[in-house]
């Protein structure tokens, strides 16, 4: 992750988080297909929009699976 990307994540607010999540059609797999940094940014934005919920990625025999976990 570049310094610019890290600064962007530090300044995430609901508006910027919504745009980032929408950019990937609200799909963590789409973000992961772009890059690992895009996936991590997606997860950070998701947590801003959905407090108390996070995305779990599990790579099994059939490839990656994504679960939404509520705390």
């Amino acid at each position: 992750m570049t310094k610019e990307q890290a600064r962007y994540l530090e300044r995430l607010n609901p508006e910027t988080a919504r745009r980032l999540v929408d950019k990937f059609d609200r799909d963590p797999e789409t973000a992961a297909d772009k890059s690992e940094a895009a996936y991590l940014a997606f997860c950070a934005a998701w947590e801003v929009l959905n407090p108390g919920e996070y995305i779990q990625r599990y790579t099994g025999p059939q490839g990656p699976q994504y679960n939404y976990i509520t705390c």
Side-chain angles (χ1 to χ4, degrees):
M1 183 173 298
T2 68
K3 288 181 183 180
E4 183 178 326
Q5 290 167 326
R7 280 193 299 267
Y8 176 84
L9 291 179
E10 288 172 4
R11 295 188 307 255
L12 269 180
N13 60 51
E15 175 67 27
T16 56
R18 184 170 288 102
R19 283 192 305 233
L20 191 139
V21 168
D22 288 346
K23 177 180 179 177
F24 296 107
D25 297 325
R26 304 185 63 79
D27 183 8
E29 188 171 8
T30 302
D33 288 344
K34 170 105 170 119
S35 70
E36 183 66 14
Y39 170 72
L40 295 174
F42 180 93
C43 290
W46 187 267
E47 291 176 19
V48 167
L49 296 174
N50 303 284
E53 185 174 294
Y54 67 93
I55 299 169
Q56 175 191 55
R57 177 173 53 182
Y58 165 75
T59 303
Q62 296 177 5
Q65 299 174 353
Y66 300 87
N67 301 305
Y68 297 88
I69 308 297
T70 302
C71 301

